[in-house]
């Protein structure tokens, strides 16, 4: 089914040839997508998402040499021991991580490499993810990284996770947990266990548990580069066949990237989100997408809906329209650009712009009616990059200077549909309100984390000033003491 359904994607090089070979040759690899799924179509979509993501981050070509030695020496992520059922335990020492926007893409690849090593070393076996949250604070909290970890197990490595243990989570993270629960279904929530010293031994024997967790294991992590060196190369399937690429063209004129134009672009994005002349029920279409998690592609920078295809319904002479929703759950702005293989057929508004932290931008795609019968092979490419404080003032300069590996790409195909495809969904505006509440909670958490870090810095500065004041007072008191000889004077 996969080879038939996504034959065009395979031909166009959307997947790594080595992953396609695994689909053809390894039953166990395919089985992990099929198990625990109610519908085979869901397994098909999940396999597509996983292979596309692997190609996007270049997972098959990642080795230990791609990361700085200090990341391995830090010991923030490592495998050690097993639980009572024999599952390998992946320890994640949360206190060793500090939220760093520049390092986030590298950290995500680092975590993905650990999962890849586990899946290749023992195909079909599950692992336990143990978050050690002892001595953690808001400085260690990164909601985007948490969401990425959960997405890895849900879409990219299905069947790999047995369950998650969260050890000694501070109460200040309760609000964050309420947000995280909204990302998960009930079955996934049940896999997350909150434990402390007394009850963690329900899952892990005492001799397999580290001392600070109440166990007897005196293990101290140290990185040995000879243990896993060459592991990935030996476990990979060789690449075969040449890749072909689709050529995407732009249909936009770049503007200055000043603050005024950013605000203007934001206002245009909002204005194009509401169009009373659409020939389909936009609210119903959005409702269907919001109610179907599988119809959103969760990338490392943006969540894109729909995940697979744009649908155009043509009636009479009216212009057909569909919408691409770009959601940014990161704490920093993301720049995007939309390109198509057939710019003469479509108008894209906006075709480039900014997605603010915790916000959503809708890109409206208009199809010229005269081309309605020739869109089956058309493609759209959504590109996204992080924005930093030192980015150029011109959008065109920005996209030219950013390395290709830093650009997130996602492709959508185009299809023509009938009226009946839009008659089923019902409008549920309360979903949008819930979504906005979640975004608001994320912003409050980020604000609280920033305030907490600022308070810690201020308290350290205050303590330093107090110590300095006491020191000078001590010196001053010594200076005021009379310089007299305590011995009695003798008179001659």
């Amino acid at each position: 089914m996969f080879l038939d359904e996504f034959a065009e994607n395979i031909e166009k090089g959307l997947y790594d040839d080595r992953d396609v070979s695994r689909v053809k040759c390894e039953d166990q690899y395919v089985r992990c997508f099929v198990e625990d799924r109610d519908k085979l179509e869901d397994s098909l979509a999940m396999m597509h998402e996983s292979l596309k993501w692997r190609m996007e981050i270049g997972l098959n070509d990642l080795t230990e040499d791609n990361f700085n030695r200090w990341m391995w020496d830090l010991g923030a992520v490592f495998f050690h021991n097993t639980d009572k059922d024999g599952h390998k335990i992946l320890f994640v020492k949360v206190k060793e991580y500090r939220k760093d926007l520049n390092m986030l893409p590298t950290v995500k690849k680092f975590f993905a490499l650990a999962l890849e090593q586990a899946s290749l070393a023992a195909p079909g076996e599950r692992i336990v993810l143990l978050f050690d949250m002892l001595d953690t604070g808001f400085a260690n909290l990164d909601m985007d990284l948490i969401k990425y970890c959960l997405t890895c197990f849900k879409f990219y490595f299905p069947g790999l996770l047995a369950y998650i243990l969260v050890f000694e989570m501070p109460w200040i993270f309760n609000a964050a947990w309420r947000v995280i629960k909204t990302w998960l279904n009930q079955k996934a929530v049940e896999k997350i266990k909150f434990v402390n010293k007394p009850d963690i031994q329900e899952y892990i024997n005492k001799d397999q548990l580290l001392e600070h967790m109440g166990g007897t294991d005196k293990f101290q992590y140290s990185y040995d580069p000879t243990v896993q060196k060459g592991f990935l190369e030996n476990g990979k399937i060789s690449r075969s066949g040449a890749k072909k690429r689709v050529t995407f063209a732009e249909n936009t004129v770049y503007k200055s990237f000043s603050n005024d134009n950013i605000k203007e672009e934001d206002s245009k994005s909002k204005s194009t989100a509401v169009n009373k002349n659409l020939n389909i029920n936009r609210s119903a279409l959005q409702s269907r997408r919001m109610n179907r998690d599988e119809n959103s592609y969760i990338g490392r920078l943006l969540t894109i809906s729909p995940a697979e295809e744009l649908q155009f319904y043509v009636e009479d002479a009216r212009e057909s329209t569909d919408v691409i929703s770009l959601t940014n759950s990161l704490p920093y702005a993301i720049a995007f650009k939309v390109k198509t293989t057939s710019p003469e057929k479509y108008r894209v508004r906006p075709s480039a712009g900014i997605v603010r932290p915790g916000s959503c931008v809708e890109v409206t795609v208009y199809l010229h009616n005269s081309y309605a019968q020739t869109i089956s092979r058309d493609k759209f490419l959504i590109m996204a990059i992080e924005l930093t404080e030192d980015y150029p003032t011109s959008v065109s300069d920005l996209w030219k200077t950013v390395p290709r590996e830093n650009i997130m790409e996602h492709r959508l195909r185009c299809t023509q549909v009938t009226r009946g495809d839009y008659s089923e969904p019902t409008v549920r505006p309360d979903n949008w309100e819930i979504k906005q509440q979640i975004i608001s909670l994320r912003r409050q958490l980020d604000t609280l984390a920033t305030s907490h870090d600022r308070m810690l810095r201020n308290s350290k500065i205050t303590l330093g000033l107090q110590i300095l004041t006491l020191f000078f007072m001590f010196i001053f008191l010594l200076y005021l003491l009379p310089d007299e000889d305590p011995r009695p004077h003798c008179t001659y």
Side-chain angles (χ1 to χ4, degrees), residues 4 49-52 61 109 146 168 201 212 220 255 264 297 346 362 373 432 472:
D4 292 339
E49 289 294 334
S50 178
L51 266 63
K52 185 157 56 66
D61 296 314
K109 290 184 179 181
I146 294 173
E168 297 287 1
Q201 294 184 35
H212 75 276
Q220 295 292 330
K255 300 181 181 180
E264 180 183 354
Y297 167 72
Y346 304 93
E362 290 189 343
Q373 305 301 325
W432 177 252
F472 281 114

Side-chain angles (χ1 to χ4, degrees), residues 87-203:
H87 300 129
K88 292 182 180 179
I89 303 174
L90 177 59
F91 285 83
V92 178
K93 297 179 68 175
V94 182
K95 71 175 183 179
E96 301 295 345
Y97 175 76
R98 291 293 185 275
K99 189 173 182 179
D100 187 341
L101 302 182
N102 295 324
M103 281 296 298
L104 185 59
T106 303
V107 173
K108 289 181 176 180
K109 290 184 179 181
F110 189 84
F111 183 76
L113 179 61
L115 300 185
E116 175 76 347
Q117 290 178 333
S119 64
L120 289 177
E125 295 186 9
R126 298 176 185 265
I127 67 171
V128 174
L129 182 62
L130 198 162
F131 285 107
D132 183 0
M133 301 192 69
L134 199 64
D135 301 326
T136 58
F138 271 116
N140 310 113
L141 179 64
D142 191 338
M143 297 294 285
D144 179 64
L145 185 58
I146 294 173
K147 186 175 183 179
Y148 173 79
C149 294
L150 298 176
T151 302
C152 282
F153 289 111
K154 182 178 180 181
F155 294 105
Y156 309 145
F157 294 93
L160 182 62
L161 179 68
Y163 55 88
I164 297 175
L165 293 178
V166 183
F167 179 74
E168 297 287 1
M169 186 183 80
W171 65 269
I172 56 176
F173 291 123
N174 288 338
W177 168 239
R178 285 196 292 270
V179 174
I180 295 171
K181 284 180 66 175
T182 63
W183 302 338
L184 308 171
N185 56 37
Q186 185 59 34
K187 185 182 295 185
V189 172
E190 293 174 355
K191 283 191 174 185
I192 302 178
K193 321 289 184 181
F194 295 90
V195 295
N196 47 34
K197 281 187 179 181
D199 52 18
I200 192 175
Q201 294 184 35
E202 296 179 11
Y203 305 94

Side-chain angles (χ1 to χ4, degrees), residues 339-368:
K339 302 170 70 175
T340 178
T341 55
S342 303
E344 72 281 359
K345 300 179 184 179
Y346 304 93
R347 289 187 297 112
V348 182
R349 299 293 184 271
S351 58
I354 308 294
V355 187
R356 296 298 184 184
S359 64
C360 176
V361 170
E362 290 189 343
V363 177
T364 307
V365 181
Y366 302 89
L367 170 65
H368 297 294

Side-chain angles (χ1 to χ4, degrees), residues 8-265:
E8 187 176 356
N9 290 347
I10 297 174
E11 181 184 353
K12 300 299 183 182
L14 186 60
Y15 316 122
D16 193 313
D17 294 335
R18 290 166 287 187
D19 293 327
V20 177
S21 297
R22 292 183 68 186
V23 173
K24 295 179 179 179
C25 304
E26 298 183 25
D27 289 348
Q28 183 57 53
Y29 181 66
V30 178
R31 185 176 291 111
C32 71
F33 293 95
V34 179
E35 291 178 341
D36 301 327
R37 303 288 175 267
D38 297 330
K39 298 180 180 180
L40 206 56
E41 290 76 11
D42 295 339
S43 303
L44 207 61
M46 188 175 299
M47 184 180 291
H48 161 70
E49 289 294 334
S50 178
L51 266 63
K52 185 157 56 66
W53 168 78
R54 293 173 65 90
M55 180 68 173
E56 183 179 291
I57 70 169
L59 185 57
N60 285 316
D61 296 314
L62 282 183
T63 66
E64 296 182 357
D65 294 333
N66 291 112
F67 304 94
N68 293 326
R69 175 62 184 263
W70 66 264
M71 295 186 67
W72 297 103
D73 292 333
L74 186 64
V77 179
F78 60 91
F79 281 95
H80 182 63
N81 288 343
T82 59
D83 72 344
K84 290 185 175 182
D85 296 323
H87 300 129
K88 292 182 180 179
I89 303 174
L90 177 59
F91 285 83
V92 178
K93 297 179 68 175
V94 182
K95 71 175 183 179
E96 301 295 345
Y97 175 76
R98 291 293 185 275
K99 189 173 182 179
D100 187 341
L101 302 182
N102 295 324
M103 281 296 298
L104 185 59
T106 303
V107 173
K108 289 181 176 180
K109 290 184 179 181
F110 189 84
F111 183 76
L113 179 61
L115 300 185
E116 175 76 347
Q117 290 178 333
S119 64
L120 289 177
E125 295 186 9
R126 298 176 185 265
I127 67 171
V128 174
L129 182 62
L130 198 162
F131 285 107
D132 183 0
M133 301 192 69
L134 199 64
D135 301 326
T136 58
F138 271 116
N140 310 113
L141 179 64
D142 191 338
M143 297 294 285
D144 179 64
L145 185 58
I146 294 173
K147 186 175 183 179
Y148 173 79
C149 294
L150 298 176
T151 302
C152 282
F153 289 111
K154 182 178 180 181
F155 294 105
Y156 309 145
F157 294 93
L160 182 62
L161 179 68
Y163 55 88
I164 297 175
L165 293 178
V166 183
F167 179 74
E168 297 287 1
M169 186 183 80
W171 65 269
I172 56 176
F173 291 123
N174 288 338
W177 168 239
R178 285 196 292 270
V179 174
I180 295 171
K181 284 180 66 175
T182 63
W183 302 338
L184 308 171
N185 56 37
Q186 185 59 34
K187 185 182 295 185
V189 172
E190 293 174 355
K191 283 191 174 185
I192 302 178
K193 321 289 184 181
F194 295 90
V195 295
N196 47 34
K197 281 187 179 181
D199 52 18
I200 192 175
Q201 294 184 35
E202 296 179 11
Y203 305 94
I204 305 174
N205 290 325
K206 195 171 184 177
D207 62 333
Q208 298 286 301
L209 205 56
L210 301 182
E211 280 189 315
H212 75 276
M213 295 181 173
T216 59
D217 187 1
K218 299 182 179 181
F219 170 79
Q220 295 292 330
Y221 172 84
S222 62
Y223 172 62
D224 185 358
T226 62
V227 173
Q228 296 173 322
K229 197 71 174 176
F231 175 83
L232 292 180
E233 288 81 355
N234 295 331
K236 291 293 183 287
I237 300 173
S238 61
R239 182 188 300 271
S240 61
K243 291 185 174 293
K244 298 180 181 179
R245 289 192 172 272
V246 178
T247 303
F248 290 90
E250 303 175 18
N251 55 2
T252 182
V253 177
Y254 287 113
K255 300 181 181 180
S256 172
F257 217 8
S258 64
N259 290 332
D260 292 338
N261 284 330
I262 290 176
K263 294 178 180 178
E264 180 183 354
E265 193 70 34

Side-chain angles (χ1 to χ4, degrees), residues 450-465:
T450 303
S451 301
H452 181 264
D453 293 340
R454 188 183 300 113
M455 182 183 67
L456 288 178
R457 289 195 298 269
N458 292 339
S459 62
K460 291 179 181 179
I461 294 174
T462 303
L463 180 61
L465 291 175

